[in-house]
Amino acid sequence: MLKLHYNLEKISMGLVIGIIAAASVGGLVEIAPLFTIAETVKLPADLRPQTPLELAGRKIYMREGCYACHSQMVRSLADEIDRYGPYSRAGESAYDHPMLWGSKRTGPDLARVGGKYSDQWHVAHLINPRSVVPASIMPSYPWLTQSLETELLPDSLATLARLGVPYDKAMIAAAAADAPAQSRPDSEAAGDFAKRYGERPAVRAFDGDPSRLTELDALVAYLQSLGTLTSVQNTPPVEAAK
Amino acid sequence: MIATLTVGERRTGAVLSVVLAVMGLAMAGAARHQVMAVHGFMAFGLGIGLVILLGGAVFDPDTTDGRQNRYYDAPTRFGIVMTLVWAVIAMGVGVWVAALLYWPEATPLWPATSFGRLRPVHTTGIIFGFGGNALIATSFYVLQRTSRARLADSVSPWAVLIGYNLFCFWAVTGYLMGSTQSKEYAEPEWYADLWLVVIWVTYFILYLRTLARRNEPHIYVANWYYLAFILVVAILHIVNNLALPVRWSVAESFPIWSGVQDAMVQWWYGHNAVAFFLTSGFLGMLYYFLPVRSGRPIWSYRLSIISFWGITFFYIWVGSHHLHYTALPYWVQTLGMTFSVILLVPSWASAGNAIATLNGAWSKVRDDATLRFMFVAAVFYGLSTFEGSFLAIRPVNSLSHYTDWTVGHVHSGTLGWVAMIVFGAIYTLVPQLSGRREMASPRAIEWHFWLAVTGTLVYVIAMWNAGITQGLMWRTYGQNGALSYSFLQSVQAMAPYYLLRTIGGALFLAGAILCAWNCYLTVRTAHGEAIDRPLIPEPAE
Ligand code: HEM
Ligand code: HEM
């Protein structure tokens, strides 16, 4: 062995190939099967893709680095289930490019935060967390009252559609209009929005002001959607795996 | 720097700079998005600056006679300067984000100075800016000494270093403007990722071409580690960053991976960024500078072979220990856990080999603060890999995951191991490159050493306490069968530890600033060439 290595050290391409070979095995064994086995590729029947407004909110969540302090992955441990709710299933994040499971909980897990608080609470909390939770160390985000950019939404939906998220042509074409529509419950556009996305997504003035579409609208819509895109987490594991 | 180039090379450099400027301008012109336009103008400005610098010198006399008899160290010098610049920037931001967790309002209410945007500036700036520049700079130095050959050409080392730093500046300014992929340690957007691929391929080719010119039959261990670092980081970077841009004119994209698959790919990348960036490359550094500084050969050649292939093979399997109890299939978690424990063997073989090398040189370790940096680095390497293997065990991870224990582990590895070995290498290299026997102020090294050790211990111990407290509070049940503590109570319990961590970090930062100042003094009073391992000259180029 030692002799063999003694000779290998004289050939740089030999080392290069050896390194690539040694470093490839583990990744191939662990990653490749994930694209085929039922546990990981099974889509929950009721999983809905995010609406354009929620998707815009997700982008803001990433932009502001909320994921650095908040996880979105309830582990299958008793205390986590008691604290946050049903543990997370693989299918829940099937449309998440990228996933936002996170690795640090400076703040609580958000996988089940949808519906936990009112919109007003979120708005006040985001603008200044200490106004509602005096001991909070979460940063303030007063600039989220600025208006939301919707120009990129059609292309964003089109890109996701190419990656396999079920957005149809009509959804892509109307994405820029559907974002404000979701925050104007009494408008005509809201009716068109409901035709495309069904009755499940909430249609409300998330930031309390239907006349303006702000980043707060998007982020709060996103937060309120967390844990509500499917109900697979409420089924017993055996059935979910089927 | 320019005087080391021939007139022809200056021309080539100027042409490349023009290409960079044109590319930057095209990017800025095409961009429909503020971030990409700013980045285009940054590339344009850099290109123009270099054109002026090089173009102005095209008619200066050529003073490169006899240079094939000398090593090419100007890029290493530049790389060390950038290492120190990034150290101060990124550790400074580290102290800032640490302070924000204690005092959330210690920041102007601007988007760019918000915690979530500054934190990746710290991680990218420190890993890629500080760590990456140190690795590239030392790899050029070590490669030449161990091959007894000059770098294969004089233009590409500059292309690698300058291009790489452009990537780092794109990355951190991007986060400040809100551009991020949100994948940990792989936050930069698609065009920056593509740019890094170009740079990295250039680096790899330069490395192989120089190895091909070596005058030693054997490739020294340090180079295996540097090679593994270059190669595997390339594979990881490409696979993890596969993404579809929303449009070619905007800095926004969607990774092609989603959900569980994305999580697995991300942590396969994430952990091996630890392995091949923060470990393999720095072991290369250790395997060269420790024997050189202590004047003793590596203790066991056989052990170095075993640990090299062990690390290269086993590390790749362990990424899934970041995903215990999540929606990742159980068997993948089990594989990750098992291999993490096995990984302790080659890791400790490396650490042990390093420490055993110092046997017989303990008096030097006592007297020489530079060697002590390297010794402490090897010790912390051993400690943090032990801790890592322990944290990877599923039940332990159920407590530690998501808590500050992880952050404590991270910084025992990065402050104790990565930063210490870098400082050891810098204190060996800088006098050597300035033609001096020692640094301008040996006392400052001594101060730096104690600041660094104290800072690391304060930081790490505070975070261990924080993490374990947090983990226990989250899982404690009361008599009535309900959870005892609200989340907020666990947040409040962290305050004293976050304060301590900030102080520890500030001490560490102070040491780094002292190091930069000492290097400046040393370089300012440089004498010229130092005694060096003789190079075997190539026939005239
Ligand atoms: C002046 C010294 C330093 C200070 C004060 C500091 C501070 C911090 C803080 C406050 C965080 C965020 C933790 C959190 O979100 O809870 C962090 C994360 C991190 N730092 Fe440092 N840091 C320092 C040096 C370094 C060095 C030298 C390195 C690497 C070479 C490093 C690598 C990292 C990494 C990889 C993370 C991310 C950890 C994770 O996501 O779990 N840091 N640091
Ligand atoms: C035998 C070697 C090692 C093993 C088995 C190991 C294992 C681990 C484990 C289990 C975690 C926690 C994952 C989680 O719960 O989220 C972790 C996190 C981490 N380790 Fe290590 N570790 C090792 C060595 C090192 C070294 C030497 C360094 C640094 C130089 C390092 C840097 C990190 C970083 C940066 C993270 C944080 C990742 C994140 O969550 O952002 N590790 N490691």
Side-chain angles (χ1 to χ4, degrees):
Chain A
M1 270 312 271
L2 215 54
K3 182 85 186 145
L4 188 77
H5 202 270
Y6 190 76
N7 290 326
L8 183 66
E9 282 163 32
K10 296 181 188 163
I11 318 160
S12 50
M13 276 329 266
L15 276 172
V16 167
I17 292 166
I19 291 168
I20 294 179
S24 300
V25 189
L28 291 175
V29 173
E30 290 184 353
I31 299 175
L34 297 183
F35 289 89
T36 56
I37 56 177
E39 203 179 341
T40 52
V41 292
K42 173 93 173 60
L43 275 179
D46 62 345
L47 179 64
R48 73 166 173 88
Q50 270 155 343
T51 65
L53 189 63
E54 290 158 5
L55 193 69
R58 191 171 201 270
K59 276 277 174 199
I60 295 167
Y61 185 93
M62 288 161 58
R63 182 188 79 194
E64 300 301 344
C66 312
Y67 64 87
C69 289
H70 290 289
S71 58
Q72 292 185 21
M73 170 48 64
V74 182
R75 295 181 295 167
S76 51
L77 298 168
D79 61 295
E80 299 217 350
I81 297 169
D82 287 346
R83 189 180 294 279
Y84 301 112
Y87 67 90
S88 302
R89 302 293 169 79
E92 288 181 72
S93 45
Y95 295 149
D96 288 1
H97 297 264
M99 56 85 205
L100 293 173
W101 294 6
S103 67
K104 178 78 206 319
R105 274 187 195 149
T106 303
D109 190 278
L110 297 181
R112 305 282 173 250
V113 86
K116 181 175 171 190
Y117 297 103
S118 67
D119 295 344
Q120 294 92 305
W121 187 89
H122 279 299
V123 169
H125 184 249
L126 286 167
I127 290 175
N128 180 7
R130 278 155 294 284
S131 68
V132 279
V133 185
S136 180
I137 56 166
M138 174 164 144
S140 306
Y141 296 94
W143 56 88
L144 294 180
T145 51
Q146 71 201 20
S147 33
L148 181 73
E149 282 280 342
T150 54
E151 190 228 356
L152 277 178
L153 281 172
D155 284 337
S156 298
L157 262 67
T159 311
L160 284 171
R162 267 197 279 163
L163 294 171
V165 182
Y167 290 117
D168 61 30
K169 284 218 174 65
M171 290 170 167
I172 294 170
D178 280 343
Q182 198 184 347
S183 75
R184 283 180 201 144
D186 299 323
S187 66
E188 211 173 297
D192 297 341
F193 169 81
K195 266 185 232 137
R196 283 185 278 275
Y197 291 89
E199 299 299 326
R200 280 171 61 206
V203 177
R204 301 196 290 265
F206 294 93
D207 67 354
D209 175 6
S211 67
R212 258 184 87 223
L213 183 66
T214 62
E215 297 195 331
L216 272 173
D217 276 315
L219 188 55
V220 174
Y222 171 67
L223 291 171
Q224 296 290 25
S225 80
L226 290 175
T228 69
L229 300 180
T230 162
S231 56
V232 67
Q233 69 272 14
N234 300 322
T235 50
V238 200
E239 253 169 72
K242 266 192 218 141
Chain B
M1 116 190 200
I2 294 173
T4 64
L5 299 174
T6 64
V7 173
E9 286 161 354
R10 290 174 208 170
R11 276 207 199 98
T12 316
V15 171
L16 286 176
S17 311
V18 172
V19 173
L20 177 65
V22 171
M23 184 196 82
L25 204 58
M27 220 169 111
R32 299 278 302 279
H33 198 288
Q34 183 209 354
V35 181
M36 201 164 157
V38 173
H39 285 169
F41 281 119
M42 277 169 71
F44 175 70
L46 178 65
I48 293 293
L50 288 170
V51 170
I52 293 172
L53 214 65
L54 289 159
V58 162
F59 300 106
D60 289 353
D62 197 328
T63 53
T64 55
D65 277 354
R67 69 170 185 177
Q68 61 272 25
N69 300 328
R70 274 177 274 136
Y71 294 117
Y72 193 33
D73 288 331
T76 302
R77 287 196 188 99
F78 172 72
I80 290 179
V81 173
M82 292 315 294
T83 306
L84 290 166
V85 168
W86 280 109
V88 175
I89 297 177
M91 287 180 201
V93 176
V95 176
W96 188 357
V97 284
L100 286 184
L101 288 179
Y102 178 71
W103 183 24
E105 269 144 8
T107 198
L109 272 183
W110 303 325
T113 51
S114 163
F115 177 91
R117 299 193 188 193
L118 288 177
R119 190 187 191 272
V121 171
H122 166 61
T123 54
T124 301
I126 205 81
I127 300 178
F128 295 101
F130 168 71
N133 274 298
L135 285 170
I136 298 175
T138 56
S139 75
F140 288 157
Y141 181 92
V142 171
L143 173 63
Q144 298 183 83
R145 290 344 184 252
T146 55
S147 306
R148 303 183 83 174
R150 188 180 163 88
L151 284 177
D153 76 293
S154 306
V155 178
S156 59
W158 292 107
V160 171
L161 275 166
I162 294 173
Y164 182 76
N165 279 287
L166 177 62
F167 165 81
C168 295
F169 278 109
W170 270 356
V172 298
T173 52
Y175 312 150
L176 295 179
M177 292 182 281
S179 160
T180 170
Q181 293 194 94
S182 88
K183 289 168 83 86
E184 258 185 283
Y185 317 125
E187 292 93 343
E189 273 294 351
W190 59 274
Y191 54 89
D193 289 337
L194 285 176
W195 175 249
L196 186 62
V197 172
V198 175
I199 300 300
W200 217 248
V201 170
T202 316
Y203 184 24
F204 178 57
I205 294 173
L206 172 65
Y207 215 89
L208 283 191
R209 281 172 61 218
T210 308
L211 273 182
R213 297 164 56 137
R214 72 184 180 280
N215 293 298
E216 293 279 344
H218 286 273
I219 300 174
Y220 181 66
V221 208
N223 291 316
W224 315 344
Y225 280 103
Y226 281 121
L227 262 181
F229 148 66
I230 299 172
L231 275 168
V232 184
V233 166
I235 301 175
L236 296 167
H237 172 76
I238 292 172
V239 175
N240 187 43
N241 282 302
L242 289 174
L244 282 187
V246 169
R247 253 188 235 163
W248 293 111
S249 54
V250 298
E252 249 180 55
S253 62
F254 290 100
I256 67 165
W257 319 113
S258 72
V260 213
Q261 291 93 349
D262 184 42
M264 186 61 222
V265 171
Q266 160 60 28
W267 287 112
W268 165 79
Y269 167 89
H271 201 84
N272 290 300
V274 169
F276 291 89
F277 215 103
L278 296 180
T279 297
S280 178
F282 291 99
L283 280 173
M285 206 182 269
L286 177 91
Y287 271 109
Y288 180 81
F289 288 101
L290 184 84
V292 161
R293 189 76 191 187
S294 64
R296 300 185 56 83
I298 277 291
W299 181 64
S300 162
Y301 164 72
R302 189 187 302 238
L303 206 55
S304 67
I305 297 179
I306 295 174
S307 46
F308 175 73
W309 290 106
I311 284 177
T312 308
F313 180 77
F314 290 122
Y315 247 119
I316 295 286
W317 294 78
V318 305
S320 50
H321 66 214
H322 291 260
L323 300 168
H324 282 328
Y325 301 99
T326 66
L328 184 78
Y330 200 70
W331 62 270
V332 191
Q333 303 176 18
T334 309
L335 271 180
M337 169 170 86
T338 314
F339 278 86
S340 304
V341 176
I342 303 176
L343 189 58
L344 190 60
V345 175
S347 302
W348 272 30
S350 296
N353 209 356
I355 293 171
T357 299
L358 292 172
N359 239 341
W362 292 113
S363 60
K364 276 195 197 164
V365 177
R366 196 189 56 220
D367 299 338
D368 179 7
T370 304
L371 194 55
R372 232 180 296 134
F373 266 110
M374 299 186 201
F375 167 66
V376 170
V379 171
F380 268 100
Y381 177 65
L383 284 177
S384 58
T385 50
F386 177 77
E387 183 184 23
S389 296
F390 183 61
L391 291 179
I393 299 169
R394 215 187 264 113
V396 181
N397 197 264
S398 75
L399 180 83
S400 73
H401 188 58
Y402 292 138
T403 70
D404 279 302
W405 192 350
T406 308
V407 178
H409 162 67
V410 170
H411 290 85
S412 102
T414 54
L415 300 176
W417 153 236
V418 170
M420 297 280 185
I421 189 71
V422 171
F423 291 131
I426 286 181
Y427 287 132
T428 312
L429 266 181
V430 169
Q432 171 76 28
L433 294 176
S434 322
R436 299 175 51 119
R437 296 222 5 251
E438 55 181 9
M439 293 290 295
S441 167
R443 276 204 35 221
I445 307 184
E446 199 65 51
W447 270 95
H448 180 190
F449 177 79
W450 290 110
L451 282 170
V453 171
T454 317
T456 307
L457 289 176
V458 171
Y459 190 125
V460 173
I461 293 171
M463 286 300 101
W464 281 337
N465 279 304
I468 294 171
T469 308
Q470 223 169 10
L472 290 176
M473 285 178 86
W474 290 348
R475 61 159 58 170
T476 305
Y477 283 90
Q479 298 270 299
N480 55 1
L483 291 164
S484 300
Y485 301 100
S486 71
F487 192 90
L488 198 66
Q489 284 173 310
S490 78
V491 173
Q492 288 170 299
M494 292 304 103
Y497 305 118
Y498 286 168
L499 179 62
L500 265 181
R501 182 251 304 267
T502 311
I503 295 169
L507 294 178
F508 201 90
L509 170 68
I513 293 172
L514 207 58
C515 172
W517 171 77
N518 201 353
C519 288
Y520 169 74
L521 287 188
T522 309
V523 172
R524 212 187 45 179
T525 52
H527 299 314
E529 299 281 322
I531 321 123
D532 207 336
R533 187 166 191 227
L535 176 142
I536 300 188
E538 289 281 304
E541 283 162 85

